[in-house]
Amino acid sequence: MAKQKFKNKRSFILTCVGAAVGLGNALRFPGLCAKFGGGAYLLVYLTALVFLGVPLLNAEIALGRKYAGGAPKCLKELKRGGDKIGWASSVNSMVTAVIYAGLAGWLITMAVKIAPLCTGGFADVSGYFFDKVLSARDDGVISGISPLVAGGIAVAWILMFLCLSGGTDTLSKAAKFTVTAPVMLLILMAGRGFLYPNAGEALSALFTPDFSAFSNPELWLSALGQVFFSLSVAVGIMPAFGSCLPEGTNVFSCSLAIAAADFAVSVLASVVMFTTMYGCGLQDKIGQSGILTAFAVYPAAICRLSHFPALNAAVGILFYASLCMMAVQSAVSMLEAFLVPFSESFNLKKRRVTLCVCAIGAVISLVYATSAAALLVGISDVFVNFYNVLLMCVAECFIIGGSKKARDLPQEINRFSGRLKMPEKLFKISVKFVSPAVLISLAAYEAVRLFIDGLDYPLWAQIGFGWGLSLAIFAAAILLQKLSLPKEVIGRVTVPLKRF
């Protein structure tokens, strides 16, 4: 069966932007700007985006197009056994999608609850979601489940299935809405932020570089690491989308558009957060924890947006609905990173696999509707979406940088380029030397910090949803690599499944 392609370059870019632009851009990035000197962080991040992020992003898209497959197939073509890393990134993305579905359920719940918060005069708005809705417990004990959050999670999975079931056409159509609608709302909120009397102070805090921050090694490592995570590289998404890239498309110009959109949304979200928080007198509450920002800080700020509770409620509903769109779109892209190689490697009907994965994922993600949800989201996100991705970034850079077959990747990237081309020397230096060095430094720094400070989570949670979950992902990757059909068999084996 011929692989379904994106209709055009614009559809591909929008879908990739939807994958790259997520909750990290809207919530975590502004907090990092506040922590690391505003403009200083922006300068380091932008430099790293151009010289580190863009080359690796180009490599993944070009690999997907060249070998017409997801991460396992692409990395196996470059190095024997490389498909283990490809499967690890794909399985890791699937697990991350389960976490994001839980967060989407939280956001749907907040879209329902923000109006009563704006009009009801609750004493502790910032603690409402965790204390009243989830009845969150610090010890992680499951003592109850929120029906409203569980319903929100179910709605999120239904939306995800609908986006995935129609192939690339549905993915690109969904991205048109889930990308443009949140961006339009952020623009409107930024406009409101400019009207606050101290908007100039807020913008100065965001864009004026604190040059003393450049001496902080944590700034550099944080900005450099955020580039890789923000662009969704090393998680299997871009090779899967690249395999559906229409022939004749300029990979380099697509990558530049994706990176530019990712950075622009991050800056726009930072403008919204800084002007809103300064305008509401909550500037000291800006933190790098996206979860706390979304569910503890923003509710208090939204309730203070204006003297009209109904207007505040309307803005709040739109705001959380937009964040939900970002979460769902990111989760859809992560699932696609697993579904593409899995269905192709085992010669299965992709629609049926999608239904099974969504059904199983929906049941598992109900744990994020319980009283243990806050703790479990925190620890699983750290291990799955940070530690694992960091390790896979390092491994992928070594595979690409050390493979003889990857030497012609710049030619593949520039195959349909005009004057705008990826510089070959920059590509090789970045992917082969600089990116691995940066990522290894970040991993070493995090290992030392972990050894000194440890993790502030119960031991059972670390084992079950931390170290144990990470090991289970890599074990599943090895199993899938051993069970997947040989390359010469795929395409001529017919699995007797009825059309769904």
Side-chain angles (χ1 to χ4, degrees), residues 82-358:
D83 49 340
K84 291 187 180 72
I85 300 300
W87 278 117
S89 64
S90 298
V91 175
N92 196 78
S93 287
M94 181 181 64
V95 175
T96 305
V98 173
I99 300 172
Y100 268 56
L103 291 176
W106 291 16
L107 293 166
I108 291 172
T109 302
M110 281 304 301
V112 173
K113 290 290 188 180
I114 192 64
L117 286 175
C118 290
T119 59
F122 288 91
D124 184 16
V125 173
S126 62
Y128 178 83
F129 179 77
F130 294 109
D131 296 339
K132 302 296 183 183
V133 177
L134 283 179
S135 299
R137 297 179 55 141
D138 294 334
D139 56 7
V141 173
I142 297 178
S143 58
I145 185 170
S146 168
L148 184 58
V149 176
I153 291 173
V155 170
W157 278 104
I158 292 172
L159 293 174
M160 289 157 60
F161 174 74
L162 292 175
C163 290
L164 289 162
S165 60
T168 55
D169 187 43
T170 306
L171 284 173
S172 59
K173 287 181 179 177
K176 289 178 183 178
F177 185 73
T178 58
V179 171
T180 55
V183 169
M184 292 302 297
L185 179 64
L186 286 175
I187 292 173
L188 289 174
M189 292 187 69
R192 170 64 183 95
F194 291 149
L195 298 178
Y196 285 112
N198 57 351
E201 180 186 355
L203 294 175
S204 178
L206 173 60
F207 290 110
T208 303
D210 178 4
F211 293 103
S212 64
F214 286 124
S215 62
N216 183 357
E218 192 176 352
L219 158 66
W220 293 84
L221 292 174
S222 177
L224 297 173
Q226 180 66 16
V227 165
F228 296 101
F229 302 131
S230 183
L231 286 179
S232 295
V233 295
V235 293
I237 294 175
M238 295 305 170
F241 287 165
S243 69
C244 304
L245 189 65
E247 190 69 13
T249 305
N250 183 340
V251 170
F252 185 48
S253 65
C254 287
S255 299
L256 290 178
I258 295 165
D262 183 74
F263 181 69
V265 173
S266 296
V267 173
L268 177 60
S270 299
V271 170
V272 171
M273 182 175 289
F274 272 67
T275 55
T276 301
M277 294 305 167
Y278 271 76
C280 296
L282 298 171
Q283 58 266 35
D284 59 329
K285 300 295 184 182
I286 303 177
Q288 68 183 83
S289 171
I291 293 175
L292 285 177
T293 299
F295 299 98
V297 179
Y298 260 124
I302 289 171
C303 289
R304 302 183 191 182
L305 279 176
S306 72
H307 297 295
F308 304 99
L311 177 61
N312 297 345
V315 171
I317 292 170
L318 291 174
F319 176 74
Y320 282 105
S322 295
L323 290 183
C324 181
M325 291 179 207
M326 289 184 175
V328 167
Q329 182 64 41
S330 295
V332 164
S333 302
M334 292 167 190
L335 284 176
E336 187 73 358
F338 173 79
L339 293 170
V340 167
F342 186 84
S343 58
E344 291 179 353
S345 296
F346 293 93
N347 214 40
L348 299 172
K349 298 286 186 181
K350 185 169 176 285
R351 185 180 173 89
R352 177 162 292 193
V353 175
T354 301
L355 178 61
C356 293
V357 169
C358 288

Side-chain angles (χ1 to χ4, degrees), residues 30-118:
L32 292 172
C33 288
K35 181 179 180 180
F36 295 114
Y41 183 84
L42 289 174
L43 286 173
V44 176
Y45 181 88
L46 181 58
T47 303
L49 180 68
V50 172
F51 293 103
L52 300 181
V54 169
L56 191 56
L57 177 63
N58 273 278
E60 290 200 344
I61 296 174
L63 283 171
R65 182 174 69 179
K66 181 177 181 180
Y67 296 115
K73 182 179 180 181
C74 292
L75 295 182
K76 184 179 181 179
E77 292 285 351
L78 296 183
K79 181 178 176 60
R80 184 178 180 181
D83 49 340
K84 291 187 180 72
I85 300 300
W87 278 117
S89 64
S90 298
V91 175
N92 196 78
S93 287
M94 181 181 64
V95 175
T96 305
V98 173
I99 300 172
Y100 268 56
L103 291 176
W106 291 16
L107 293 166
I108 291 172
T109 302
M110 281 304 301
V112 173
K113 290 290 188 180
I114 192 64
L117 286 175
C118 290

